[in-house]
Amino acid sequence: TLSEVGLSSEVRAAALMNLGIVELWAYRLEGEGRHLEQGLELAQRIELRYVQVGCLSHLAVLDAWHSFMAVRERCAQAVAVADAHGLSKEPVVCVALTMLGLMDVAQGRFETAQGWRDRAEAAVREDVVPATALLLHRARGMQHLSQGRLEQALATLRVAERLQGLLVTPHALTAQMREWIVL
């Protein structure tokens, strides 16, 4: 295990977060976020805010399978920690901001959703975090679809599809976006 390797707490927390993120985006969900939960617990204990925001944000993605309320709660925590500790413009908060936008799209609150996505777009760097950028384009595409702007939705989903090419393995959302493009 990671604790047996003799890593510092900071490195161990970051490693747990990154392992959990890889599992999530590769759609390996057998542990249901176990590594993200462990990373979060350690990051909270040692006050490693960047990792705390990353774990909360990605756990919110897992929560989307079960409860919109849980997604909102985790994302609100992640954004609050990011805002309080100068991380509000860092790529690590983009997933939480995007998930908040997705929840608002699902509930027809398009203006609020756009505000969350604007904040996420200000922080994301597609060349550094293509998986997060893919999620952001998916959210934008969903809003276009929800508002009947089919050409814009198609263009946005095609950008997300191109971002898949920057990833080593298929992203968990790729198949779903291809289905939307076909429709």
Side-chain angles (χ1 to χ4, degrees), residues 2-3 6-17 39 42 45:
L2 290 173
S3 61
L7 302 173
S8 71
S9 293
E10 291 86 359
V11 172
R12 189 169 42 253
L16 286 164
M17 176 187 71
L42 181 55
R45 191 172 54 226

Side-chain angles (χ1 to χ4, degrees), residues 44-89:
Q44 288 172 324
R45 191 172 54 226
I46 63 173
E47 298 181 355
L48 192 58
R49 303 303 182 204
Y50 186 91
V51 172
Q52 186 177 350
V53 170
C55 289
L56 284 166
S57 298
H58 288 85
L59 283 165
V61 175
L62 287 171
D63 289 339
W65 293 100
H66 311 291
S67 166
F68 280 10
M69 185 182 304
V71 173
R72 284 193 182 280
E73 288 173 8
R74 281 211 213 250
C75 289
Q77 290 174 357
V79 171
V81 171
D83 288 348
H85 297 282
L87 301 171
S88 60
K89 296 206 185 288

Side-chain angles (χ1 to χ4, degrees), residues 82-170:
D83 288 348
H85 297 282
L87 301 171
S88 60
K89 296 206 185 288
E90 294 293 325
V92 72
V93 76
C94 290
V95 170
L97 296 167
T98 301
M99 291 302 293
L100 285 166
L102 280 168
M103 296 302 99
D104 283 332
V105 165
Q107 297 174 329
R109 294 192 288 244
F110 302 121
E111 198 170 302
T112 306
Q114 182 64 48
W116 292 121
R117 274 200 328 283
D118 287 347
R119 279 190 66 185
E121 287 171 3
V124 76
R125 291 197 37 215
E126 291 183 3
D127 58 327
V128 176
V129 283
T132 300
L134 192 148
L135 178 67
L136 184 56
H137 285 288
R138 175 184 180 254
R140 188 181 305 122
M142 285 181 65
Q143 181 162 345
H144 289 316
L145 280 173
S146 297
Q147 293 180 299
R149 298 188 306 249
L150 301 181
E151 286 184 32
Q152 290 171 303
L154 183 61
T156 301
L157 293 171
R158 290 218 184 273
V159 171
E161 192 175 42
R162 281 193 296 277
L163 286 170
Q164 171 60 58
L166 298 175
L167 303 175
V168 176
T169 60

